[in-house]
Amino acid sequence: MSNHHAAAFISLLAPLASFLTVCVLPSRYRKPISLVSLLWMALAFVSAIILFYGSWNESNLIKLNWFVVGNSPFTADLSISKHSLLMLVVVSFISLLVHVYSVSYMSGDDG
């Protein structure tokens, strides 16, 4: 797996990890949870930037083998074009800004 593939998967799965962090950990650790989830979102944005600069001039197609039934493999393809790279950067940046705002807005809330 190349660095571009790893950056693609990190930028796609880091928001899911942020969600799971918030859902799984107990609410008495509110401050650390919000900081860890903020770091997950920042990691998604940084990996999107790395993917943007590393893959702008090339079109990538990542093939994943999910499973095989008999002799028939079931695959999933992740196509990374210039438009999807730009949208990934914009959406991850806006998501990071919304997350920073919501964490600071809810910092004084008790519950």
Side-chain angles (χ1 to χ4, degrees), residues 44 53 65 71 81 90 93:
Y53 283 115
N65 290 326
N71 291 331
S81 65
V90 169
F93 179 65

Side-chain angles (χ1 to χ4, degrees), residues 43-57:
L43 179 65
F45 176 63
V46 168
S47 64
I49 292 290
I50 290 170
L51 188 63
F52 180 79
Y53 283 115
S55 298
W56 181 254
N57 290 325

Side-chain angles (χ1 to χ4, degrees), residues 18-35:
S18 175
F19 169 74
L20 292 175
T21 300
V22 171
C23 288
V24 170
L25 295 177
S27 62
R28 67 177 176 255
Y29 301 117
R30 198 170 317 144
K31 287 272 190 192
I33 290 172
S34 63
L35 293 177

Side-chain angles (χ1 to χ4, degrees), residues 63-80:
K63 292 186 174 277
L64 300 171
N65 290 326
W66 279 12
F67 55 91
V68 177
V69 175
N71 291 331
S72 302
F74 288 87
T75 61
D77 296 340
L78 180 63
S79 177
I80 303 173

Side-chain angles (χ1 to χ4, degrees), residues 34-109:
S34 63
L35 293 177
V36 169
S37 64
L38 183 63
L39 288 175
W40 278 117
M41 296 305 292
L43 179 65
F45 176 63
V46 168
S47 64
I49 292 290
I50 290 170
L51 188 63
F52 180 79
Y53 283 115
S55 298
W56 181 254
N57 290 325
E58 55 192 56
S59 181
N60 288 322
L61 181 66
I62 301 171
K63 292 186 174 277
L64 300 171
N65 290 326
W66 279 12
F67 55 91
V68 177
V69 175
N71 291 331
S72 302
F74 288 87
T75 61
D77 296 340
L78 180 63
S79 177
I80 303 173
S81 65
K82 289 183 179 183
H83 293 83
S84 61
L85 284 173
L86 186 61
M87 286 303 297
L88 183 64
V89 170
V90 169
V91 169
S92 63
F93 179 65
I94 298 298
S95 299
L96 178 63
L97 290 178
V98 168
H99 199 81
V100 168
Y101 176 77
S102 64
V103 165
S104 64
Y105 182 77
M106 298 299 291
S107 65
D109 190 34

